[in-house]
């Protein structure tokens, strides 16, 4: 699969996926979700061309040298911010599973290793046998906003809101090569919750095209993944010798916003496999159908460090 490597330079603070607690909106991710990046790029494309490419897709945007941790890149202790990954570990585990070894045995780790699937980790050191990472946490800031009552034309109780913003600097993402990128590259997109709540300018650069292998065998989920949805199967998951589906990771909730020619403002919400989950794909089906929705970016990689080598700007 051929994709374009993007470099996004954020000139300020932005909001990511937020969780509301009373009148406070907290950013809950240390990366920018796929739907947010895609929407911002397509908004600029629509502004210039007056149309939308529904087939355009883009992965989540992660800080440079960073990506979601998987089960076999665990923290070295329960409260540790240091992570270690053995070189070629995912290919090694795929070989063990293909030879019929039970998943329960494949998952055994050292007693001090604590997996934190989905945590954003940044590569800090590479040697012959392993790669060392540290947990990435974006700098944050809180901004207070006052809503105005339309009847009274003034603020009233319950109309003070707080938003948490994150500062990223430079991010990387993968996107479908298309006219969309030809139009927006070298320019700026706007990411935020509105003109008064962020709407920060983000510079878009197309670095180069990257060739990624089709997902097969034990794959790494760069985005949220769903094997099936609404009765449609997007890929078949292999089972181990004991009949257990080979899925190693966590679950999360997907929330997207879709507008079509006939339906406006549909916001589905459903459970998915989280970023960093590992899945053994027995048979590829129509997994790519959900790429525009920011789902099923499943990559066949030897280890996380090898992926970061490929996406280095």
């Amino acid at each position: 699969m051929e994709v374009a490597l993007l470099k996004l330079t954020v000139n300020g603070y932005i909001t990511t996926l937020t969780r509301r607690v009373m009148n406070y909106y907290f950013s809950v991710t240390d990366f920018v979700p796929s739907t947010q990046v895609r929407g911002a790029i397509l908004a600029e494309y629509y502004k210039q061309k007056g149309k939308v490419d529904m087939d355009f897709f883009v992965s989540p945007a992660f800080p440079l040298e960073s990506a979601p941790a998987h089960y076999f890149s665990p923290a070295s202790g329960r409260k540790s911010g240091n992570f270690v990954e053995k070189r070629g570990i995912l290919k090694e585990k795929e070989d063990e599973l293909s030879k019929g070894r039970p998943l329960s045995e494949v998952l055994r780790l050292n007693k001090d290793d604590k997996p934190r699937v989905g945590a954003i980790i940044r590569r800090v050191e590479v040697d012959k046998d392993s790669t060392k990472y540290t947990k990435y946490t974006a700098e944050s800031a809180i901004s207070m906003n006052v809503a105005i009552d339309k009847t009274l034309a003034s603020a009233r109780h319950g109309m003070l809101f707080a938003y948490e913003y994150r500062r990223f600097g430079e991010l990387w993402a993968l996107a479908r090569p298309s006219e969309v990128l030809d139009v927006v590259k070298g320019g700026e997109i706007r990411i935020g919750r509105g003109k008064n709540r962020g709407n920060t300018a983000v510079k878009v650069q197309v670095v180069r095209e990257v060739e990624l292998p089709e997902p097969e065998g034990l794959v790494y989920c760069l985005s949220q993944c769903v094997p099936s949805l609404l009765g449609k199967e997007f890929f078949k998951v292999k089972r181990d010798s004991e009949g257990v589906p080979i899925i190693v990771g966590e679950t999360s909730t997907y929330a997207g916003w879709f507008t079509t020619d006939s339906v406006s403002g549909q916001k589905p919400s459903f459970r998915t496999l989280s970023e960093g989950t590992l899945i053994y794909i027995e048979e590829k089906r129509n997994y790519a159908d959900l790429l525009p929705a920011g789902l099923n970016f499943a990559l066949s990689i030897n280890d996380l460090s090898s992926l970061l080598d490929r996406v280095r700007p």
Side-chain angles (χ1 to χ4, degrees):
M1 177 173 64
E2 192 173 80
V3 294
L5 172 62
L6 306 184
K7 180 180 178 182
L8 306 175
T9 304
V10 185
N11 299 314
Y13 290 84
I14 61 176
T15 52
T16 62
L17 183 66
T18 57
R19 180 178 69 247
R20 181 178 179 179
V21 179
M22 298 183 68
N23 284 6
Y24 291 80
Y25 291 83
F26 295 97
S27 291
V28 296
T29 63
D30 284 311
F31 63 92
V32 186
S34 170
T35 50
Q36 194 172 359
V37 181
R38 180 179 185 266
I41 291 176
L42 286 180
E44 179 61 27
Y45 178 69
Y46 180 81
K47 178 181 177 181
Q48 295 189 37
K49 292 293 185 179
K51 60 181 180 179
V52 171
D53 181 357
M54 297 300 293
D55 294 327
F56 178 72
F57 61 76
V58 62
S59 74
F62 301 99
L64 297 187
E65 290 290 307
S66 301
H70 55 78
Y71 183 88
F72 298 108
S73 61
S76 53
R78 187 171 65 88
K79 296 183 179 180
S80 175
N82 298 316
F83 295 71
V84 178
E85 178 192 46
K86 182 181 177 182
R87 299 296 297 273
I89 186 64
L90 297 184
K91 182 57 64 176
E92 177 183 314
K93 296 300 180 180
E94 178 182 320
D95 291 341
E96 291 179 13
L97 290 166
S98 65
K99 293 177 181 177
R101 189 178 180 190
L103 180 61
S104 58
E105 295 182 9
V106 174
L107 295 181
R108 290 176 183 170
L109 300 172
N110 297 327
K111 65 176 183 179
D112 293 330
D113 291 341
K114 305 298 179 184
R116 298 181 190 171
V117 175
I120 304 304
I121 56 177
R122 169 167 280 173
R123 183 169 60 174
V124 294
E125 184 180 341
V126 180
D127 58 34
K128 181 180 178 181
D129 300 318
S130 64
T131 306
K132 296 179 181 179
Y133 303 84
T134 185
K135 188 178 187 306
Y136 174 85
T137 302
E139 177 188 344
S140 65
I142 302 294
S143 175
M144 305 300 294
N145 294 265
V146 178
I148 302 299
D149 186 288
K150 294 182 179 179
T151 303
L152 302 177
S154 63
R156 62 180 177 85
H157 178 70
M159 302 194 77
L160 179 65
F161 298 88
Y163 292 88
E164 182 182 24
Y165 297 85
R166 298 289 174 92
R167 187 178 185 89
F168 290 104
E170 296 179 329
L171 305 148
W172 68 270
L174 301 174
R176 177 177 180 265
S178 74
E179 181 193 30
V180 174
L181 295 182
D182 295 335
V183 171
V184 303
K185 69 180 179 181
E188 292 183 337
I189 58 176
R190 295 281 175 173
I191 294 180
R193 295 181 62 89
K195 292 182 179 179
N196 297 323
R197 297 191 292 272
N199 201 36
T200 299
V202 178
K203 183 178 180 180
V204 180
Q205 295 174 268
V206 179
V207 180
R208 62 177 179 275
E209 292 191 350
V210 178
E211 186 68 32
L212 295 175
E214 290 289 323
E216 60 181 358
L218 188 65
V219 301
Y220 165 82
C221 289
L222 184 64
S223 71
Q224 294 172 305
C225 285
V226 285
S228 61
L229 182 67
L230 300 176
K232 185 174 182 179
E233 192 171 36
F234 298 100
F235 51 80
K236 184 178 180 181
V237 178
K238 182 180 177 64
R239 294 177 178 269
D240 71 357
S241 57
E242 298 178 341
V244 178
I246 303 177
I247 298 176
V248 184
E250 302 290 344
T251 60
S252 58
T253 301
Y254 174 88
W257 189 278
F258 296 92
T259 299
T260 67
D261 293 338
S262 57
V263 180
S264 177
Q266 294 298 298
K267 191 176 182 181
S269 179
F270 48 87
R271 299 298 289 173
T272 70
L273 300 171
S274 69
E275 298 86 355
T277 295
L278 303 174
I279 308 170
Y280 199 121
I281 295 181
E282 183 175 24
E283 181 182 339
K284 296 193 302 289
R285 293 183 178 172
N286 299 316
Y287 78 94
D289 288 355
L290 293 184
L291 289 177
L295 297 167
N296 289 352
F297 282 86
L299 307 176
S300 298
I301 57 176
N302 292 332
D303 52 47
L304 193 55
S305 186
S306 65
L307 170 63
L308 294 176
D309 286 339
R310 292 189 182 189
V311 300
R312 180 183 291 146

